[in-house]
Amino acid sequence: MTLAVTHGKVNFKGPLVSRRGDLNCILKTVIQEDAPQQSQASNDTSINVVLFGGLAKDFSHSVNQGDIVVLSGFTVSPSPTVRKDKLHPCILHLDGSEAHIHVCAAPAPAPAPAVGSSGVSATTKYTYVPLNELTHGSLVNVYAVVTFFKLPFPTKGTDYCSTLKLTDQSGAKVGCTIFCEKQESHPKIFKIGDVIRLHRVKAQIYGGSMTLITFWGWSAVTFDGTVGSPVVPRTPTKKFHFGEEDSGMVMALRDWAASDSPVPTEPTVHLSAVVPRQYFNLTCQLLAKATMDSACTLLKVWDGTRCSYPLLTVPVEPGALEGGSPAVSDRQGLIANVLVYDNHVDTAQALQPGTFLCIYNLHAVPQSVPGEASGGQEALSFHLHGGTSFGRGLRALPPGGPDIVELKRALQSCAEQMEDDMNSSLDDLAWFTPSEISMRNCEHTLQQVSLAEVKSSAPPQFFHVRAQVKSFQPQRLYQSLKLFCSQCKTIEEVPDHKTLRTRFQEAVMDNRPCRPAWAVSLIADTEDPSRKFTLHVSSAKCPADRDSKLIFVQECLTSTACCSAPMTTGADFQEMCHLSSDQEYMVPVRSSRGKLLLLDHTVPFLFRGKRQFYGCRQCSKRKLVKPTVEGMEVWNEKSVSEALGVQLMQYVSLMKLELEDGSDTLEVLLWDNSENFFHVCADDLAHCQEAQDRMKQVMDMFQPADSSTSQRPWLDLCLSLYSVDEDGQSQVQCQIVNTQTRDIL
DNA sequence: GGTTAGGCTTGG
């Protein structure tokens, strides 16, 4: 565990123990929580701290008992001496480039010294030893290129072990053994040529050759070895120091490895280039998996290229396949059946369809096709044999790496090609690219986490997850459409047509003819001879858009009708829809005491063609004023509403999705990011069938009819966890952000 | 205050 920072008073300062040079220094100290208000100092407030290397030396020279120190970048582990010294049950280790100690002078009653002026800052400086200068028994820091690696495998002891072979500009080659209890804390090496930085590892001779082995307090960071790719440290710790000198080291090693080094270059072997009996590494996407027996799991994978040899078909029990039914595509040489054996089965089982992965030391095995005469054509099957020799194994690759970017491109163009070739339906494509259905478009370089991790995290934070849609609300998608006032943040339902008809009738009661001075008023006939409209055409014209008119529509009954029915009505909702065209903006109005009024804001205040616009009840002016067009560039719903003193409400789409990923379920909103996500303008959703259809198609894709969980596609999502105040209470909410569905519809 | 492993294939 890494904590950010703590501070305390130095209670005890042990001697500097030095064996061979600075890197071997150790110093033990005890610090006590610096809390004067605490009357009874309990033993829990004192903690053992062990410093290593240059930091121990600096501490020894510049710190005295009683000093206040601020510690950061330390690791915490159980204290082995807790029974003996009855101090805090944990011990802090300060080692590595992220470890810092800021030393203040002993607390003085006088004004506190300004931080930085009287404070002594002690920071570790790392020196890196070339691999040809290692001496037996020394503790060293090294930078090197990986020329061989085995993924972490369990030992007979307590740890996982990974075995590496390293080299650097000195030309020396040294083996390296990493022991670490947690698999995920091992250095993240994805391919030969990756660069590794190791701190505090021990050099020792074994079998006549120099080797490196992890030592207490060791740490490792790795980098992609591709020349020119961004220098991004891969580390299990979130908080991490990384300076310019590190970039320099990485780039120098990359350049050297790319030019005149003995580092074997292993270009990615695509399925199309595989030959029988070859061992190779395959970077691919998992499409489906099936358990064959307790020692064998079948993985169906593809890398977007077509194998030039016939591929062996592996029969699978019906229902045993998780992740889709790729029967058609098997015949096209696109999908490799990989049989994963023994110690690799657990890893394979844990992979989700859609995952990008690398299979190391995969064996292309030619087999005669059952049922065909001997001498007949052979077909290739792929075996990941048991054991770890030659680095055999498989691992999921994080999204965003250069290899994955290339792979995704290949998969996409392959899917497009297939669409052309076979006229395949959307269903086929949706199946082929299960994780390509959504794409993040954020700049974050976050590691993917599980939903359980998101759920247990504190806002505000962003996360990247892979998840399936378990359920969503509302089921009737048009109900997701809402009206939103950006000023007062009110959200309202969009009324249906029946409600609107009633509201129109109610809103225009007690309507009297009137002729405002700022408009030209005309009487227009309707199909019903007893009904006429008064159209008040505003003389105000938009200077830049002279053809568009703003028309106020007021319905009046004819004089005959007036006699029999003294009450008149305003514009009817259906007639408004009928009257409005794409050219004019129409505003339904009524009059009272000789003045024109807008209807109340429970109905649209503005019509244009099929589009209707609402005003916010709270934020709009109640009186209809003479429209002002000063400074107006163009008539649109925004400028018209401004001219009328109406606060325009936006159409927005609000959905609630329940996500699942095997670790947990999580309810998320699709709201701010909705238009980006569906590639649909919320405004269009209100009146355009095409837009509604598109949204439905996307949701159907997430949850195909009668689909089981395993058939649903996986989505790459960027989530924002944040808190909102509701009724004075803080609530945590989660939204899908920066994510769009691929345009495959 | 340090066991484990210490690359080196092949079957199913």
Side-chain angles (χ1 to χ4, degrees):
Chain A
M1 182 168 74
T2 301
L3 293 182
V5 87
T6 189
H7 61 96
K9 192 170 79 178
V10 177
N11 253 359
F12 164 81
K13 180 185 150 192
L16 182 70
V17 181
S18 173
R19 276 166 289 178
R20 284 183 203 85
D22 288 355
L23 283 169
N24 279 324
C25 290
I26 294 184
L27 184 143
K28 190 180 162 185
T29 177
V30 176
I31 66 163
Q32 185 174 15
E33 199 175 351
D34 181 33
Q37 69 273 24
Q38 209 165 335
S39 51
Q40 295 254 316
S42 92
N43 284 335
D44 253 6
T45 62
S46 290
I47 191 164
N48 282 300
V49 182
V50 179
L51 314 173
F52 294 97
L55 196 59
K57 202 176 164 192
D58 292 347
F59 189 94
S60 176
H61 293 152
S62 46
V63 180
N64 297 308
Q65 210 162 312
D67 282 351
I68 303 297
V69 290
V70 180
L71 313 180
S72 63
F74 48 82
T75 56
V76 185
S77 48
S79 167
T81 53
V82 61
R83 285 200 191 158
K84 210 168 69 184
D85 59 26
K86 300 200 168 53
L87 297 183
H88 195 283
C90 292
I91 183 166
L92 308 183
H93 290 111
L94 276 110
D95 188 36
S97 57
E98 53 271 67
H100 297 276
I101 298 185
H102 186 81
V103 190
C104 309
V115 174
S117 59
S118 70
V120 181
S121 210
T123 301
T124 47
K125 279 270 182 285
Y126 280 88
T127 49
Y128 296 95
V129 181
L131 294 180
N132 64 344
E133 289 176 22
L134 300 175
T135 52
H136 179 71
S138 60
L139 286 179
V140 292
N141 310 311
V142 296
Y143 252 107
V145 179
V146 177
T147 61
F148 169 80
F149 68 101
K150 268 188 186 183
L151 297 174
F153 58 93
T155 64
K156 288 176 189 153
T158 55
D159 293 338
Y160 279 86
C161 174
S162 37
T163 312
L164 320 178
K165 193 90 174 188
L166 308 176
T167 188
D168 68 0
Q169 291 94 332
S170 75
K173 284 187 172 180
V174 297
C176 175
T177 307
I178 309 274
F179 286 113
C180 182
E181 204 166 2
K182 288 182 182 162
Q183 218 174 336
E184 62 271 22
S185 302
H186 278 250
K188 292 198 184 332
I189 301 163
F190 297 119
K191 62 198 278 195
I192 285 171
D194 279 357
V195 172
I196 187 166
R197 183 186 87 178
L198 288 164
H199 281 175
R200 205 172 174 78
V201 286
K202 192 157 73 176
Q204 55 187 29
I205 304 273
Y206 175 80
S209 312
M210 189 59 73
T211 57
L212 292 167
I213 187 164
T214 47
F215 190 70
W216 185 247
W218 70 278
S219 67
V221 193
T222 58
F223 308 85
D224 192 288
T226 314
V227 174
S229 74
V231 181
V232 183
R234 303 193 286 244
T235 157
T237 41
K238 278 181 190 168
K239 197 176 178 307
F240 182 71
H241 169 82
F242 182 70
E244 262 176 41
E245 64 274 36
D246 290 284
S247 293
M249 294 291 275
V250 174
M251 291 191 284
L253 275 170
R254 282 175 172 179
D255 289 342
W256 168 75
S259 54
D260 54 355
S261 80
V263 179
T265 42
E266 263 189 47
T268 312
V269 176
H270 294 292
L271 204 52
S272 57
V274 169
V275 295
R277 280 170 281 276
Q278 186 177 11
Y279 288 89
F280 65 107
N281 297 344
L282 182 67
T283 301
C284 55
Q285 185 184 35
L286 178 64
L287 291 169
K289 57 177 178 178
T291 303
M292 305 303 284
D293 59 57
S294 65
C296 181
T297 287
L298 170 71
L299 299 182
K300 283 179 176 281
V301 301
W302 74 325
D303 74 350
T305 70
R306 225 173 274 266
C307 188
S308 38
Y309 293 84
L311 296 178
L312 191 79
T313 315
V314 178
V316 180
E317 297 267 330
L321 197 70
E322 185 187 331
S325 170
V328 181
S329 13
D330 269 354
R331 288 200 289 273
Q332 303 201 327
L334 280 167
I335 297 191
N337 288 301
V338 176
L339 292 162
V340 174
Y341 290 101
D342 304 338
N343 54 318
H344 310 298
V345 164
D346 286 347
T347 316
Q349 294 276 3
L351 296 169
Q352 299 294 344
T355 306
F356 299 106
L357 68 152
C358 190
I359 308 175
Y360 302 95
N361 198 232
L362 188 57
H363 190 192
V365 181
Q367 285 180 294
S368 55
V369 178
E372 284 203 10
S374 60
Q377 208 177 24
E378 286 187 320
L380 282 188
S381 68
F382 298 92
H383 295 233
L384 182 66
H385 299 294
T388 60
S389 20
F390 278 82
R392 271 194 305 243
L394 73 169
R395 83 178 325 166
L397 298 176
D403 295 343
I404 298 302
V405 171
E406 193 206 315
L407 174 62
K408 281 187 173 178
R409 211 171 285 143
L411 297 182
Q412 175 147 6
S413 79
C414 182
E416 282 163 8
Q417 175 90 47
M418 282 185 13
E419 189 180 27
D420 295 345
D421 290 354
M422 13 179 321
N423 243 343
S424 34
S425 69
L426 169 65
D427 292 343
D428 288 337
L429 272 184
W431 178 82
F432 266 116
T433 55
S435 80
E436 295 296 289
I437 283 177
S438 76
M439 275 167 30
R440 291 190 305 266
N441 50 9
C442 55
E443 299 290 318
H444 305 135
T445 52
L446 300 167
Q447 290 278 332
Q448 190 176 291
V449 298
S450 68
L451 293 180
E453 283 172 85
V454 178
K455 231 172 173 172
S456 63
S457 299
Q461 252 186 97
F462 288 98
F463 299 96
H464 288 173
V465 300
R466 269 187 92 251
Q468 293 168 296
V469 177
K470 190 180 181 192
S471 65
F472 59 88
Q473 291 288 337
Q475 281 285 306
R476 290 182 182 163
L477 293 178
Y478 63 84
Q479 289 174 346
S480 76
L481 198 65
K482 313 279 175 203
L483 294 164
F484 174 70
C485 174
S486 57
Q487 197 163 311
C488 67
K489 311 293 177 202
T490 301
I491 300 176
E492 289 193 13
E493 299 294 327
V494 182
D496 60 27
H497 282 197
K498 195 178 156 204
T499 310
L500 283 176
R501 277 198 295 274
T502 319
R503 286 187 185 168
F504 256 77
Q505 278 166 11
E506 287 165 1
V508 298
M509 302 258 262
D510 206 14
N511 194 25
R512 306 276 169 202
C514 97
R515 286 176 177 268
W518 45 264
V520 179
S521 300
L522 310 160
I523 307 285
D525 290 322
T526 72
E527 286 172 8
D528 177 352
S530 70
R531 298 162 77 95
K532 284 187 190 298
F533 288 107
T534 306
L535 302 179
H536 309 279
V537 183
S538 168
S539 49
K541 283 189 179 170
C542 183
D545 192 8
R546 293 191 160 269
D547 292 338
S548 293
K549 294 185 187 71
L550 184 58
I551 300 173
F552 299 84
V553 183
Q554 181 187 18
E555 190 192 335
C556 298
L557 298 186
T558 58
S559 51
T560 34
C562 265
C563 296
S564 55
M567 200 163 343
T568 61
T569 65
D572 174 78
F573 173 66
Q574 271 170 307
E575 281 159 347
M576 277 304 298
C577 297
H578 188 69
L579 270 176
S580 63
S581 72
D582 288 340
Q583 274 71 50
E584 279 102 12
Y585 282 100
M586 292 202 163
V587 183
V589 288
R590 66 191 181 96
S591 71
S592 175
R593 297 194 185 115
K595 286 199 168 169
L596 273 193
L597 299 173
L598 290 175
L599 311 190
D600 74 41
H601 285 299
T602 62
V603 297
F605 76 97
L606 187 64
F607 289 70
R608 186 183 201 180
K610 285 181 178 171
R611 303 172 69 195
Q612 294 150 20
F613 303 96
Y614 290 78
C616 176
R617 271 180 266 185
Q618 277 93 22
C619 307
S620 302
K621 286 181 190 160
R622 293 190 180 271
K623 271 200 312 201
L624 177 62
V625 291
K626 177 187 171 183
T628 50
V629 291
E630 255 172 63
M632 198 176 286
E633 293 276 312
V634 68
W635 277 138
N636 58 29
E637 58 273 16
K638 203 161 167 285
S639 57
V640 170
S641 54
E642 272 169 26
L644 297 175
V646 173
Q647 173 64 37
L648 181 69
M649 292 194 92
Q650 290 167 251
Y651 283 104
V652 291
S653 166
L654 173 62
M655 291 190 74
K656 211 181 266 185
L657 273 59
E658 191 185 12
L659 304 177
E660 63 180 336
D661 73 346
S663 76
D664 209 332
T665 63
L666 179 70
E667 208 168 73
V668 299
L669 297 178
L670 188 50
W671 160 242
D672 292 324
N673 182 52
S674 197
E675 295 190 333
N676 175 36
F677 189 82
F678 289 110
H679 300 286
V680 161
C681 175
D683 205 67
D684 291 341
L685 277 178
H687 66 270
C688 164
Q689 188 60 44
E690 212 175 290
Q692 293 166 13
D693 290 347
R694 172 165 173 105
M695 192 169 166
K696 184 168 177 350
Q697 276 177 311
V698 171
M699 293 316 294
D700 285 348
M701 202 159 65
F702 295 160
Q703 292 209 309
D706 304 320
S707 62
S708 65
T709 308
S710 62
Q711 289 165 320
R712 287 177 200 154
W714 287 79
L715 307 177
D716 278 328
L717 301 167
C718 179
L719 300 181
S720 163
L721 193 71
Y722 57 100
S723 52
V724 284
D725 266 349
E726 248 173 49
D727 306 323
Q729 295 222 315
S730 177
Q731 285 201 339
V732 177
Q733 280 188 354
C734 198
Q735 266 197 52
I736 296 175
V737 293
N738 306 316
T739 306
Q740 55 187 327
T741 46
R742 260 191 65 230
D743 210 358
I744 57 171
L745 296 177

